[in-house]
Amino acid sequence: MEIRILAPTGALGAGFPAASLERGVALRPHVIACDAGSTDSGPYYLGAGQPKLSREAVGRDLRLLLKARDTLGVPLIIGSCGTSGRDAGVDLVADIAREIARQEGLGFKLALIYADQDPGYLTMRYDQGRVRPLQPAPPIDVSTLTDSHVVGMMGVEPIQRALRDGAEVVLAGRASDTALFAALPHAMGADPGLNWHAAKTVECGAACAVPPRPDGLFVHLRDDHFDVQTLDTSVRLTPHSVAAHTLYENANPYLITEPSGVLDTTNATYTAVDEWTVRVAGAEYVPSDTYTIKLEGSRLAGYQTIAIGGIRDRVVIEQLPTLLPMAKEYFRAKIRDVFGGRVDPDDVDIDYRLYGQDAVLGTNDPDRDRPVHELGVLITITAPTQAIAHAIATFVAHASSHLPIPEYEGLASTIAFPFSPPEIDRGPLYEFTLNHVVEPTDPHEMFRTVHEEVKP
Amino acid sequence: MRLLDLCSLIRSKNAGPFVLTFDFMGRDTASYEALRGSGVLTPELFAALYGGDPADILVVHHDRAEAVKVSMPRPVRQGDLRDSDCYGGQLYAPLVDLEVPMPIAPITTSERA
């Protein structure tokens, strides 16, 4: 048996050479699969329901993939649509797909699988004790589940059901990256250890190539091994580079948890076939006793206004450890005064981040006592509304550029602001709230599938 | 030797919003074995640098990838108000010049960590 998988790129919209896709199509894959999301860009995308990559960039990749799928007549599976895998992300990518279909004269059976979670459902499972923390998890109560925007990360099962029901293009909400690649081979009876390991290997596309690049990989999945190869002969794969990929963005490189079990790569072997192909065998898939769906949640944490400036005078730099705490105290009184008590200073966060001194590593920086001669200053004001944040930022920026320097008589100018006005409204700020799993009754109940016939 | 002399890549990344993970890729088999044998990359070192309990820090010696991997709870939740590095991409920086003592006797490949 041989099942062939085409992984065109690590992320829909990140791009890939069209010639690589053509080579992949020529190898006659049984399925094309591609991830379109991540939490790695932070809590904004899930909280706001906005995609990270532009409609143009996503459309460019999707157009080529829809045409390749049409040529081959095989399923195209895209997961975590719109970065966060929120329902809005699925609808956005579906909209792009329909537009491309019209322009290119393509027809296909489309399935949309939604992963947004209903607060009522989550509350019920929480009350049943079927929401469990993963380590390390933030403390939660039931309101965390209802205040956050929550998605569940689907496994292979909803994707397989959509394919069984005739879908040719599957646009999934939040999904396990590996499940996208594993779904069809699993349904075709592939060895689970090999299948999940192959899926894990290609989910980032050619990230494990030497050198890494935004491009695709191809898998030949057989009875007792799989071969993974590059689609562009100018980049190579080595046993080392493929083995090392299990390290990427994983806590444990040997044990990779999926909804239905754990991929164990401890005994995997990696052998070079040629410069572009590595043969992999030996991984095991250990099914879990309990099926679990990972939850991701993001909650509004406030609104921000920022100001960016710089300080060059060493006299000012030397005074900052005294002046900045003093300024913060002054602003607390100023907030009470300006808003006539309508804004509580405790609800407002004013922070100075000094680039050049403590900004990135903070007090963990072993070099923090080294003198600097120029400092970048990022002032952030976080408040319950954008209007309040902005209003406070105007006097914070103004006062910060006129800090009282004991060495100088008269009004000194203490921060160089490159912009006018210096205040920049950043919009809503979100925070991740969950590192938990829920135990559903079955792998399907948390996801909703809508089928649609897209006509050319 | 400094860590950078032994590693072709020193990387920190998020493994989800709550976990920070470090990869130390050996330049070659000998470098990897020297690094593994030196025993400098310990839970205690990472707890001292980034905070937290050594008991929560995982150190894995990945022989096939010739890499040492360390994972720990993120010092600050990704994207939070006080997070300075949303991708966790620069947090490895203090380790680049870490002094790695060389073992007196060569470590054999059969010695598995």
Side-chain angles (χ1 to χ4, degrees):
Chain A
M1 181 168 77
E2 180 178 277
I3 305 169
R4 294 179 297 276
I5 308 166
L6 174 57
T9 181
L12 185 74
F16 52 83
S20 292
L21 181 67
E22 281 170 27
R23 282 191 207 97
V25 168
L27 294 167
R28 312 294 300 175
H30 294 86
V31 61
I32 306 173
C34 180
D35 174 43
S38 172
T39 60
D40 203 32
S41 309
Y44 173 79
Y45 304 95
L46 175 56
Q50 294 293 318
K52 175 178 164 169
L53 294 165
S54 70
R55 187 181 178 96
E56 291 76 10
V58 169
R60 181 270 181 195
D61 287 2
L62 189 58
R63 184 180 304 272
L64 293 174
L65 298 185
L66 285 169
K67 287 162 81 171
R69 189 222 72 79
D70 191 65
T71 303
L72 291 162
V74 301
L76 169 65
I77 300 166
I78 297 183
S80 301
C81 287
T83 305
S84 63
R86 263 179 68 157
D87 291 0
V90 174
D91 289 337
L92 174 75
V93 177
D95 192 44
I96 300 171
R98 291 184 201 106
E99 184 181 294
I100 292 168
R102 273 196 306 277
Q103 292 166 349
E104 302 285 346
L106 301 172
F108 46 84
K109 295 189 178 73
L110 175 65
L112 309 176
I113 312 179
Y114 293 106
D116 278 15
Q117 297 304 312
D118 171 39
Y121 171 83
L122 294 174
T123 302
M124 175 190 75
R125 288 293 182 226
Y126 180 83
D127 290 341
Q128 291 167 339
R130 289 170 68 162
V131 174
R132 286 194 285 114
L134 301 171
Q135 286 311 318
I140 66 163
D141 56 31
V142 73
S143 71
T144 313
L145 296 167
T146 51
D147 294 349
S148 301
H149 198 103
V150 181
V151 290
M153 190 187 286
M154 73 184 78
V156 290
E157 296 81 0
I159 298 164
Q160 289 171 333
R161 181 181 276 180
L163 295 174
R164 273 202 305 277
D165 291 345
E168 294 168 311
V169 175
V170 176
L171 299 179
R174 188 61 173 141
S176 151
D177 296 358
T178 33
L180 309 171
F181 303 90
L184 185 74
H186 182 259
M188 290 170 75
D191 175 83
L194 293 175
N195 183 29
W196 284 103
H197 195 189
K200 175 64 202 165
T201 304
V202 299
E203 49 120 351
C204 284
C208 62
V210 185
R213 59 173 56 164
D215 200 344
L217 290 179
F218 198 90
V219 167
H220 299 261
L221 181 57
R222 304 193 180 105
D223 292 327
D224 59 356
H225 69 269
F226 68 87
D227 284 349
V228 56
Q229 68 181 88
T230 63
L231 291 170
D232 180 343
T233 49
S234 72
V235 296
R236 294 176 300 119
L237 284 182
T238 68
H240 180 262
S241 76
V242 173
H245 186 64
T246 54
L247 274 67
Y248 191 67
E249 293 182 349
N250 259 340
N252 187 324
Y254 290 127
L255 301 175
I256 293 144
T257 305
E258 296 292 335
S260 62
V262 176
L263 169 67
D264 183 347
T265 66
T266 311
N267 297 314
T269 59
Y270 306 83
T271 318
V273 175
D274 55 37
E275 279 186 67
W276 308 280
T277 312
V278 172
R279 181 159 296 179
V280 185
E284 289 164 68
Y285 192 73
V286 185
S288 300
D289 295 337
T290 311
Y291 194 92
T292 54
I293 292 291
K294 190 164 187 236
L295 299 175
E296 288 171 356
S298 179
R299 177 169 61 192
L300 186 71
Y303 292 82
Q304 273 189 338
T305 299
I306 65 169
I308 300 165
I311 305 177
R312 176 63 182 78
D313 179 359
R314 68 148 184 97
V315 179
V316 178
I317 291 173
E318 283 162 13
Q319 291 292 332
L320 292 178
T322 321
L323 288 179
L324 294 184
M326 216 161 77
K328 285 192 190 182
E329 265 317 299
Y330 167 74
F331 293 136
R332 289 180 65 84
K334 180 96 179 160
I335 288 167
R336 282 194 201 93
D337 185 25
V338 166
F339 293 95
R342 293 189 308 279
V343 175
D344 184 343
D346 286 341
D347 293 338
V348 180
D349 185 89
I350 299 172
D351 185 50
Y352 293 89
R353 184 162 282 167
L354 305 178
Y355 280 89
Q357 195 174 74
D358 290 353
V360 179
L361 289 167
T363 53
N364 296 325
D365 196 330
D367 289 333
R368 66 193 302 256
D369 295 329
R370 205 153 69 183
V372 295
H373 78 277
E374 190 167 284
L375 271 182
V377 184
L378 170 64
I379 309 173
T380 60
I381 293 92
T382 312
T385 72
Q386 189 69 69
I388 294 171
H390 189 94
I392 294 171
T394 57
F395 61 74
V396 169
H398 177 77
S400 299
S401 66
H402 296 296
L403 295 171
I405 306 297
E407 287 86 341
Y408 298 145
E409 287 177 14
L411 192 61
S413 194
T414 46
I415 293 188
F417 284 123
F419 305 131
S420 168
E423 305 85 12
I424 304 161
D425 289 341
R426 236 180 55 70
L429 176 80
Y430 295 90
E431 61 185 358
F432 281 125
T433 53
L434 295 170
N435 195 28
H436 291 68
V437 290
V438 62
E439 296 169 8
T441 306
D442 70 59
H444 299 280
E445 70 180 28
M446 295 171 67
F447 306 100
R448 301 163 322 285
T449 302
V450 174
H451 290 270
E452 168 184 336
E453 179 91 35
V454 176
K455 299 250 167 54
Chain B
M1 296 270 251
R2 288 167 311 165
L3 196 58
L4 184 60
D5 300 326
L6 294 171
C7 292
S8 58
L9 177 64
I10 303 172
R11 170 169 73 192
S12 54
K13 283 291 293 180
N14 300 321
F18 302 91
V19 174
L20 180 63
T21 188
F22 298 83
D23 299 338
F24 305 92
M25 308 287 195
R27 281 194 187 278
D28 49 37
T29 307
S31 298
Y32 164 65
E33 287 175 354
L35 177 60
R36 192 185 63 188
S38 74
V40 290
L41 299 177
T42 60
E44 289 71 25
L45 171 74
F46 285 83
L49 277 170
Y50 302 100
D53 184 344
D56 296 332
I57 301 176
L58 173 75
V59 178
V60 178
H61 297 133
H62 197 306
D63 290 352
R64 286 190 190 85
E66 297 184 338
V68 181
K69 187 166 182 67
V70 180
S71 296
M72 63 184 296
R74 227 176 177 284
V76 179
R77 210 182 301 183
Q78 182 198 1
D80 266 18
L81 200 53
R82 293 289 177 264
D83 184 23
S84 63
D85 191 350
C86 189
Y87 291 80
Q90 277 285 300
L91 297 179
Y92 67 88
L95 292 156
V96 168
D97 292 322
L98 184 75
E99 208 44 60
V100 183
M102 288 294 98
I104 297 155
I107 307 266
T108 64
T109 47
S110 62
E111 186 182 315
R112 288 280 183 253

